[in-house]
């Protein structure tokens, strides 16, 4: 019995799908492939987070003028 092209093609696809970088192979930037994948997933998670609403603007606190401050010192 001879294996026809219908059986050979799926077997070839499975063999080629098993080829690829291992988790411990060197990856970009001096990290392993697994570490690079984890960093990419973390970056995607951070990018997908919604930003919190902006904080309300703080109202300026009145600063004593130089005249008031010197008047307080003279009163004591």
């Amino acid at each position: 019995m001879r294996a026809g092209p219908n059986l050979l093609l799926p077997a070839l696809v499975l063999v080629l799908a098993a080829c690829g970088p291992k988790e411990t192979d060197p990856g970009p930037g001096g990290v392993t492939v697994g570490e690079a994948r984890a960093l990419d997933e973390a970056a995607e998670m951070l990018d997908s987070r919604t930003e919190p609403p902006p904080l309300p603007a703080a109202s300026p606190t009145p600063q004593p003028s130089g005249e008031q401050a010197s008047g307080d010192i003279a009163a004591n």
Side-chain angles (χ1 to χ4, degrees):
M1 190 166 162
R2 207 176 97 183
N6 292 341
L7 294 176
L8 193 57
L9 184 60
L12 183 61
V13 169
L14 288 175
V15 169
L16 290 177
C19 296
K22 297 178 192 172
E23 292 288 316
T24 56
D25 285 346
V31 297
T32 65
V33 172
E35 291 169 334
R37 184 177 301 116
L39 289 171
D40 287 342
E41 289 172 1
E44 286 178 18
M45 185 179 6
L46 289 174
D47 288 343
S48 68
R49 292 174 57 182
T50 58
E51 292 185 23
L55 297 174
S59 60
T61 57
Q63 297 294 325
S65 66
E67 296 170 3
Q68 289 177 339
S70 64
D72 292 339
I73 294 171
N76 289 335

